[in-house]
Amino acid sequence: MKFREILNSDAFILFDGGMGTLLQSQGLPPGEMPEIFALCKPEVIVNAHLAYVQAGSKVITTNTFGANRFKLPSKYNVFEVNKEMALLAKKAVQGKALVAGSVGPTGKMLRPLGDVDFEELVDAFEEQIRGLVAGGVDLILGETHFDLAEARAVVVAARRVDASFPIGISMTFEGDTSLTGTTPTGFVLTMLNMNVDVIAINCSLGPKELLPIVQEMLEVSSTPILVEPNAGLPVLEDGKTVFKLEPEPFAFQMLEFAKMGVKCLGGCCGTTPQHIASLRELLSFLKFQKNSVHTSFALTSRSKYVFFGFEHKPVLIGERINPTGKKILTEELQSGNLHYALELGEEQLEAGAKVLDVNVGAPLVKEDKILPRLGFELVKRFDPILCFDSTNFLAIEKSLQIYPGSPLINSISGEKGRLEKLGPLCRDYGAPFILLPLEGKKLPVTSKERIAIIEKMIKKCLDLGISKRLILIDALALTVSSKPEAAKACLEVIKYCAKQGFPTTLGLSNISFGLPARELINSTFLAMAIANGLSSCIVNPNSSKILEIFYTTNLLLNKDKQAKEFVNVFSNWQVGESRVEKKISKQRIISNAKDAVIAGDKEKLIEILKREIEHKSGFALLNEELIPGITEVGEKYEKREYFLPQLLLSAEAMQEGVAFLEPWLKKESGRRGPKIVMATVEGDIHDIGKNIVCLMLKNHGFEVIDLGKDVPATKIVEVAKREKAEIIGLSALMTTTMVRMEDTIKLVKEQNLDCKVIVGGAVVTQAFAKKIGADGYSEDAVAAVKLAKELIANAKEKAFN
């Protein structure tokens, strides 16, 4: 029995349920890693797996969720632990079920959100996966990932171990996005590009709460979906975290997913063998109906996505980050200065470009260093969808490692060996590419010549295991001044590709080279090309003529519903007036320190502060500029205008600003902000959320004493007492450790400390906080700052009265 065989069958596939909560019932102590517990008591894990097999699970997952080098204590060998857990799972199933190697998150975040590089994560996952494969698993299953970049790292690592091995990847969502801002659609599109076997969602919520998210995933996924909810939302009873959704109600709620076309079903926290048995029984009365959906070619960033295809609006790819003919840009790139390139990027995004072509190819520019560095800075500031434009293999490879989604690669030609070298890289990283129909030195002038090259290259792609969905074809716009038939041939290629289901692009300005009135030629040809099926074009998005044609063509081809965009842009249009340019060129102008904090521009912020400190006090700049700026960032985060990456970027800018002002602040006053002790509770080694809260609290003037992770209640209270802290902040990410929060609250009360306790974390709820007697609960860093400020203000008001 092979996983892909049952995946292609006409039956549902039942996965297992929650392992952690099951092991707790078998004696797993609070805070102990399930992997270490199982090494000491292998019979317990074997029996747990066996219970799920007897309940009807056709796939059980190994007890290796946290078995990576970042989470396992250093005395344990990662490879051996994973191999042993896989062998125990294989022993338990005895050939009656398949085994999925569980690969959970590392607890680390990639730069610029954290302190690890993509290759570090890939190395860690590869080490873990090698152990799982050595133990005989049938597939790799990445579970509960909250950042798209880390999910990509699991796939890349698995491909390095064995390119043919089945892979499933699951993300967890908070509301309508992941922690770092990825939508369910963006996640699915990225995983489709990576050609995984199963796309999954697990944890966080119960079946009812997951319904709208799964519906969104099904609308775009042509790959089977796996859904593993919790047994409802956690509640606290007698000092223990419990999940109240009983087996039968859980199974009935899960039937909704089965009816929607979900192929694979299972459970997460709180689901037991009884939950799986109930689900198996109900599924026996239902016939699987495959979810049929066609998904267009798509590119993604961490929080954005864009579709290409005649059924969608044509995509403008901004061409201006290219040193050809740009002396200033060339000189800056040669010196390693990225300022002008970043300005060009922002300018094009503001003008309406959905994708930025990034080219740094110029004499004396080290592309393998500058291209990924520029890509990193663009991602950090704007989270744009990027197109990496280079003939340098190493530059492309490094750029794919810093990018969190599915970028475009420009381009792969028919030049000997180029497809064979670059194609597998794009395949394994899930990076769509522009197929350029050029081979040898002769230009293919006729459409027949181009189509022949295209067909030959597509066959090579398929032979290399490259999915059709990664191919965007350049229709090749040659100049009509020297090749009069070039425009007609280009249109014929576009029409052919559209008929074959391939999206197309072209470098628009090539068509008019050497002729007067180039903008007139370019815009006219663009209208003709879009009408014939062109999906995208590489252009200067600041051209008002191009944009006029773009919006008008969308209207006439019924791609602008109710003419909303057209009316918005041209409502006051008059002949001869560049109305588009005035409407969309609204570049963000950073004129003060507040604007710089909101933009997350550290360099600009320091430049402004150096100037302003000459005639303003440090406290005036802090209170009138920096704090209002970070407050507005918090408001944008709450409105979902900003996501975690933008929040952290602004927070880091704020931190730099405060550090710069510190000498003046010390001179002006010896005042210190309210003290708050922060800690992740005993037994919990997750501190991402806590670290973000610490950063935001510091930015709002709090003196933060960060005790780190896995901190006993006695130490937390001891430090709070010694430092005379006004607030203690507690974090937990695991249902098994959140109960430790109550230990601290009890100690605070026993010792009569005049100190408030606030709690938070992915598994913590308002009801839980109230039950354990916490003074407050916050669901994220922005809410934590508000809560802390309110508690301090209330304490001062009480003291005054």
Side-chain angles (χ1 to χ4, degrees):
M1 181 169 58
K2 302 285 186 184
F3 180 68
R4 288 192 178 118
E5 289 174 5
I6 65 170
L7 199 60
N8 292 324
S9 72
D10 58 359
F12 293 104
I13 301 176
L14 203 54
F15 279 62
D16 55 7
M19 183 59 69
T21 42
L22 183 60
L23 290 180
Q24 284 174 40
S25 68
Q26 301 298 312
L28 172 67
E32 183 170 325
M33 290 186 72
E35 295 85 353
I36 295 172
F37 176 71
L39 287 173
C40 301
K41 297 188 175 181
E43 70 285 352
V44 174
I45 196 69
V46 168
N47 290 334
H49 287 319
L50 183 58
Y52 279 119
V53 174
Q54 291 170 342
S57 296
K58 292 300 178 186
V59 181
I60 63 108
T61 48
T62 57
N63 180 43
T64 54
F65 181 77
N68 60 69
R69 68 174 66 157
F70 295 105
K71 288 185 174 179
L72 279 176
S74 58
K75 68 179 181 178
Y76 293 95
N77 182 290
V78 171
F79 176 90
E80 293 298 336
V81 169
N82 281 276
K83 181 181 176 181
E84 179 63 21
M85 291 298 107
L87 288 171
L88 289 175
K90 294 295 282 188
K91 178 183 177 182
V93 302
Q94 297 176 353
K96 296 176 183 176
L98 298 178
V99 175
S102 173
V103 180
T106 60
K108 296 288 183 179
M109 294 186 81
L110 278 164
R111 291 186 175 89
L113 305 182
D115 58 358
V116 297
D117 293 321
F118 185 81
E119 277 299 293
E120 289 181 73
L121 284 187
V122 172
D123 285 346
F125 288 136
E126 187 177 345
E127 179 182 34
Q128 182 178 7
I129 291 167
R130 286 194 185 280
L132 291 167
V133 171
V137 299
D138 300 286
L139 68 146
I140 296 301
L141 182 61
E143 294 190 286
T144 329
H145 290 277
F146 53 82
D147 181 49
L148 187 62
E150 187 173 44
R152 285 178 71 243
V154 176
V155 182
V156 172
R159 294 265 159 77
R160 288 185 185 176
V161 174
D162 184 343
S164 65
F165 213 73
I167 305 168
I169 296 292
S170 182
M171 280 194 82
T172 184
F173 294 88
E174 299 181 352
D176 54 359
T177 69
S178 71
L179 176 66
T180 54
T182 302
T183 64
T185 297
F187 164 55
V188 169
L189 294 175
T190 305
M191 291 302 114
L192 287 175
N193 285 340
M194 298 196 86
N195 202 30
V196 301
D197 297 270
V198 172
I199 299 171
I201 179 171
N202 76 300
C203 208
S204 294
L205 304 167
K208 281 185 179 178
E209 293 82 8
L210 283 186
L211 267 173
I213 299 175
V214 174
Q215 182 61 59
E216 182 180 337
M217 293 171 72
L218 285 167
E219 286 172 5
V220 290
S221 182
S222 51
T223 290
I225 298 283
L226 163 64
V227 179
E228 296 180 301
N230 293 341
L233 299 176
V235 295
L236 189 69
E237 286 188 353
D238 300 323
K240 292 183 179 180
T241 306
V242 295
F243 293 85
K244 302 285 284 182
L245 191 58
E246 295 293 329
E248 283 192 16
F250 173 84
F252 273 108
Q253 290 181 25
M254 291 294 287
L255 273 188
E256 289 300 313
F257 298 119
K259 292 173 184 176
M260 289 160 63
V262 171
K263 171 81 172 177
C264 309
L265 303 107
C268 202
C269 300
T271 54
T272 64
Q274 289 72 35
H275 287 79
I276 299 304
S278 293
L279 180 54
R280 179 196 62 184
E281 187 177 346
L282 288 182
L283 286 177
S284 65
F285 297 101
L286 195 65
K287 187 177 180 182
F288 173 65
Q289 296 289 331
K290 186 177 179 181
N291 176 52
S292 296
V293 61
H294 165 71
T295 307
S296 303
F297 178 98
L299 303 176
T300 66
S301 69
R302 190 177 255 116
S303 65
K304 301 181 182 76
Y305 57 86
V306 61
F307 290 108
F308 287 58
F310 190 69
E311 67 273 29
H312 302 286
K313 292 177 184 176
V315 176
L316 295 181
I317 302 173
E319 68 179 6
R320 300 202 65 214
I321 305 178
N322 188 324
T324 305
K326 296 185 181 77
K327 185 181 178 183
I328 295 174
L329 180 58
T330 300
E331 290 174 350
E332 285 201 359
L333 293 174
Q334 288 170 339
S335 67
N337 186 340
L338 305 180
H339 184 73
Y340 185 39
L342 293 170
E343 277 188 357
L344 289 172
E346 183 174 19
E347 173 192 298
Q348 292 178 100
L349 291 170
E350 293 286 346
K354 296 296 184 186
V355 181
L356 296 180
D357 187 82
V358 186
N359 185 321
V360 300
L364 304 178
V365 174
K366 293 182 178 178
E367 285 193 63
D368 62 322
K369 288 185 171 57
I370 297 298
L371 187 64
R373 192 174 139 228
L374 176 54
F376 178 86
E377 289 299 326
L378 285 164
V379 166
K380 184 177 173 182
R381 292 169 189 247
F382 312 118
D383 189 35
I385 297 171
L386 296 182
C387 170
F388 293 110
D389 187 350
S390 177
T391 57
N392 185 310
F393 178 86
L394 190 56
I396 293 294
E397 184 177 33
K398 288 185 175 180
S399 297
L400 288 173
Q401 291 168 359
I402 60 88
Y403 192 78
S406 293
L408 183 62
I409 301 303
N410 186 7
S411 57
I412 300 180
S413 69
E415 176 189 343
K416 190 175 180 181
R418 184 159 174 81
L419 179 57
E420 289 78 3
K421 187 176 183 182
L422 198 50
L425 185 70
C426 292
R427 176 196 66 203
D428 294 344
Y429 279 86
F433 59 90
I434 296 174
L435 185 150
L436 186 63
L438 286 175
E439 56 180 16
K441 295 181 180 178
K442 185 188 173 188
L443 282 173
V445 178
T446 68
S447 59
K448 187 177 179 182
E449 290 174 304
R450 296 180 207 182
I451 290 168
I453 297 172
I454 289 167
E455 289 177 342
K456 189 192 300 183
M457 290 184 69
I458 288 172
K459 184 180 183 307
K460 279 187 181 179
C461 286
L462 297 178
D463 290 344
L464 289 167
I466 298 168
S467 169
K468 279 186 174 182
R469 67 173 296 109
L470 295 183
I471 302 171
L472 174 67
I473 297 173
D474 191 329
L476 209 58
L478 303 178
T479 176
V480 293
S481 61
S482 60
K483 302 283 188 294
E485 68 273 43
K488 185 181 176 185
C490 193
L491 295 176
E492 288 170 352
V493 172
I494 291 168
K495 204 181 295 184
Y496 164 82
C497 292
K499 196 172 181 181
Q500 301 300 314
F502 286 102
T504 47
T505 194
L506 50 81
L508 186 63
S509 60
N510 292 344
I511 204 78
S512 63
F513 187 77
L515 292 169
R518 293 188 67 187
E519 196 173 34
L520 176 61
I521 298 169
N522 294 344
S523 58
T524 304
F525 183 62
L526 176 61
M528 296 168 70
I530 291 173
N532 278 275
L534 183 73
S535 310
S536 64
C537 61
I538 303 172
V539 297
N540 177 359
N542 290 315
S543 166
S544 58
K545 194 72 179 173
I546 294 295
L547 290 170
E548 285 171 354
I549 293 296
F550 176 77
Y551 285 108
T552 306
T553 308
N554 284 343
L555 172 71
L556 297 175
L557 292 176
N558 193 30
K559 295 179 182 180
D560 180 7
K561 303 300 179 186
Q562 284 81 48
K564 285 182 181 177
E565 278 189 350
F566 189 84
V567 170
N568 180 50
V569 173
F570 296 107
S571 56
N572 298 310
W573 185 82
Q574 293 179 14
V575 176
E577 184 176 70
S578 295
R579 203 62 210 166
V580 169
E581 201 164 25
K582 291 178 182 175
K583 277 275 186 179
I584 68 171
S585 292
K586 297 177 180 175
Q587 281 182 262
R588 181 174 58 207
I589 298 170
I590 299 175
S591 58
N592 54 48
K594 178 184 174 183
D595 292 338
V597 169
I598 294 168
D601 193 329
K602 290 188 279 191
E603 292 80 9
K604 195 74 175 175
L605 176 60
I606 299 304
E607 179 188 315
I608 291 169
L609 291 177
K610 283 179 179 176
R611 187 172 65 243
E612 291 292 308
I613 198 68
E614 298 294 327
H615 51 86
K616 270 190 176 182
S617 74
F619 273 105
L621 287 168
L622 178 66
N623 295 323
E624 296 168 18
E625 299 282 351
L626 271 61
I627 289 179
I630 201 68
T631 301
E632 187 168 328
V633 167
E635 290 167 358
K636 285 179 177 290
Y637 181 76
E638 287 182 326
K639 293 174 185 174
R640 312 299 278 176
E641 292 174 16
Y642 271 18
F643 295 100
L644 185 60
Q646 293 88 355
L647 180 71
L648 289 178
L649 190 64
S650 292
E652 286 172 7
M654 173 82 175
Q655 203 169 27
E656 293 258 342
V658 173
F660 172 81
L661 292 175
E662 195 168 0
W664 286 275
L665 297 175
K666 283 181 178 177
K667 283 180 189 176
E668 292 165 24
S669 171
R671 289 182 301 168
R672 301 184 72 87
K675 282 186 180 180
I676 180 166
V677 171
M678 293 290 298
T680 300
V681 296
E682 186 174 10
D684 203 318
I685 58 172
H686 302 88
D687 62 355
I688 289 173
K690 184 261 299 171
N691 292 345
I692 296 167
V693 173
C694 288
L695 181 60
M696 291 297 291
L697 286 165
K698 287 175 185 176
N699 284 338
H700 282 268
F702 284 84
E703 185 182 344
V704 178
I705 302 163
D706 183 1
L707 300 181
K709 55 194 175 186
D710 189 17
V711 188
T714 51
K715 183 177 178 181
I716 295 169
V717 173
E718 177 192 321
V719 173
K721 188 175 182 180
R722 184 180 69 236
E723 297 291 335
K724 295 183 172 57
E726 284 114 309
I727 298 175
I728 292 172
L730 304 175
S731 172
L733 192 70
M734 300 160 61
T735 55
T736 55
T737 59
M738 61 192 279
V739 293
R740 299 275 69 83
M741 291 177 164
E742 193 173 12
D743 299 345
T744 300
I745 293 168
K746 284 179 178 176
L747 267 179
V748 166
K749 289 177 179 175
E750 285 172 13
Q751 297 191 21
N752 266 340
L753 285 191
D754 186 17
C755 180
K756 303 293 184 183
V757 181
I758 61 175
V759 297
V763 293
V764 182
T765 63
Q766 178 68 58
F768 174 82
K770 186 177 180 181
K771 186 150 191 173
I772 63 174
D775 295 292
Y777 156 79
S778 64
E779 61 181 3
D780 55 47
V782 173
V785 172
K786 278 188 177 179
L787 175 61
K789 284 184 171 183
E790 285 172 11
L791 290 173
I792 294 297
N794 291 342
K796 285 181 179 178
E797 187 178 339
K798 188 177 178 182
F800 182 76
N801 292 333

